[in-house]
Amino acid sequence: MSRLLTRFSKLVVLSYIIDWAVIIATALVGYAFSKVTPNHNPFSLADLSISYPYQANETVTTGTLALVAVMAPAVIILVGSFLLVPGAAVEGNGSRSQMWRRKLWEWNAGWLGLGVALAGAFLTVQGLKDLIGKPRPDFLARCDPDLSKIKTYTVSGLGTELSGAPTLVTWEICRNKTSMVKGDGFASFPSGHACFSFAGMTYLTLWLCSKLQIAFPYLPYYSSRPGYLSKTEADTQSNSLPRSSSSAWRLAIRSQGAAPPVYMLIVALVPLGTASFIAASRWYNHRHHGFDILFGTALGIFFAWIGFKWYHLPIRRGAGWSWGARSRKNAFFKAVGFPSPVGDDNWSSRGGVRQPEDIENGDAIPGLAQSSGTRGVDI
């Protein structure tokens, strides 16, 4: 293993160590936010939305959430990277050490994307909880308000002057002044369980779809394979052919793709179903309002998408691989005057095709020698 590491460019390795440092620092900032006392919005004692009973036992605890959203995807990615990489099509392509470099790189890329998704979700959701300070649906049950001091803690509303008008009071009216009220009681928006579970599970779904080639059949407008036409060319050719030739051509087009087995669809959807159950449990445990859960879900999916796209090729054209590593000259940044950091002139060593021998020269840590046809189409 030490011989393999000596072939890596030190600058490239350092750049990915910095990636990990940024991810860990982001998570630590999120943890610090979780210890901050949130803002305390005033509330009405007649508000039905915060009058639900308090359930001491949660269906999905924080420990279970960490196990499902963090540990499970991390273990599956680790095992999958060593079992599925480099793949039967290229199993004999290269030396044994090169095969292990590919496995290690896919593992690193898989965990980096997962780290981006989870750390970004954690930081954002904890920061928003502190900033918004929205009472939970079971807040009044936690609070145990002292009804004899309503006038003392009234801060707004016309309830004391106009019959039927609302009266807003501060949290000091609560007899229970522990952290379950002062801190956790005002942490309803957004749902951390929904955000974190969908960040980890959506990322895992995308990763499984990539590695197991689970995708809808499609006809690309262009490909590295011969015989593909643009849509306009295909329509023109179809209309100009005799009926018998046109039928044969359409049959040939149909043979280019097929739907994966249905059980593969189940594999892809199980993580999303798990995340949906966790998010739904926050509703019937009276921990979050509906919009809190929906917003947390959207945040989780958003960060999962960012984490996956940052390190992995598009599912339908990426052959299951992640992007290769940055090059030595582009390990940290690209200066003014360089081409766009996307497309053929990007952070790679050559711009475009990556070759396994790049690592021998200390230029990169490649995922695989990729054909030019693995680019150009989004998920």
Side-chain angles (χ1 to χ4, degrees), residues 142-160:
R142 297 170 181 241
C143 170
D144 186 22
D146 186 348
L147 300 182
S148 66
K149 297 182 178 180
I150 293 178
K151 290 186 178 181
T152 304
Y153 296 110
T154 295
V155 292
S156 64
L158 300 175
T160 58

Side-chain angles (χ1 to χ4, degrees), residues 72-330:
V75 171
I76 291 173
I77 290 171
L78 171 62
V79 174
S81 295
F82 284 91
L83 292 182
L84 302 176
V85 178
V90 290
E91 193 72 46
N93 181 19
S95 63
R96 184 176 181 83
S97 63
Q98 188 177 83
M99 179 185 70
W100 277 102
R101 288 197 295 275
R102 288 168 172 167
K103 291 178 184 291
L104 291 172
W105 173 246
E106 291 296 326
W107 171 25
N108 180 62
W111 274 18
L112 278 169
L114 180 64
V116 167
L118 294 176
F122 186 48
L123 171 65
T124 303
V125 78
Q126 294 301 330
L128 287 174
K129 282 178 181 288
D130 294 341
L131 180 65
I132 304 300
K134 182 179 179 180
R136 292 187 184 271
D138 58 4
F139 180 79
L140 291 182
R142 297 170 181 241
C143 170
D144 186 22
D146 186 348
L147 300 182
S148 66
K149 297 182 178 180
I150 293 178
K151 290 186 178 181
T152 304
Y153 296 110
T154 295
V155 292
S156 64
L158 300 175
T160 58
E161 302 175 14
L162 180 64
S163 177
T167 297
L168 298 183
V169 298
T170 64
W171 80 276
E172 284 88 353
I173 197 173
C174 298
R175 291 189 180 97
N176 181 6
K177 290 183 169 58
T178 64
S179 61
M180 70 176 293
V181 173
K182 184 180 179 181
D184 192 54
F186 287 91
S188 184
F189 179 87
S191 170
H193 276 62
C195 181
F196 214 56
S197 61
F198 269 96
M201 293 291 98
T202 302
Y203 181 86
L204 179 59
T205 289
L206 294 172
W207 190 88
L208 288 172
C209 288
S210 173
K211 290 295 180 283
L212 299 176
Q213 300 290 293
I214 306 172
F216 294 109
Y218 77 110
L219 286 174
Y221 289 170
Y222 58 91
S223 172
S224 58
R225 293 172 58 184
Y228 280 90
L229 306 174
S230 69
K231 187 177 186 300
T232 302
E233 293 171 335
D235 292 341
T236 302
Q237 179 170 332
S238 176
N239 294 332
S240 64
L241 289 173
R243 176 175 292 272
S244 59
S245 299
S246 178
S247 298
W249 179 79
R250 292 181 185 277
L251 182 61
I253 288 295
R254 289 181 58 196
S255 68
Q256 297 296 323
V262 173
Y263 61 79
M264 301 300 288
L265 185 62
I266 296 175
V267 170
L269 294 181
V270 163
L272 294 180
T274 302
S276 298
F277 172 80
I278 293 174
S281 74
R282 307 306 286 173
W283 170 269
Y284 59 76
N285 285 158
H286 311 312
R287 290 298 196 269
H288 294 284
H289 305 276
F291 184 70
D292 306 338
I293 296 172
L294 292 176
F295 192 88
T297 296
L299 272 180
I301 294 174
F302 172 72
F303 280 105
W305 180 82
I306 288 180
F308 181 82
K309 294 284 288 184
W310 200 255
Y311 291 103
H312 294 81
L313 277 80
I315 291 176
R316 294 202 293 186
R317 292 182 64 87
W321 299 104
S322 64
W323 290 109
R326 297 182 284 265
S327 70
R328 181 167 46 194
K329 66 179 181 180
N330 296 325

Side-chain angles (χ1 to χ4, degrees), residues 8-19:
F8 295 170
S9 165
K10 293 180 180 179
L11 290 178
V12 173
V13 172
L14 178 59
S15 73
Y16 284 99
I17 291 176
I18 293 176
D19 278 9

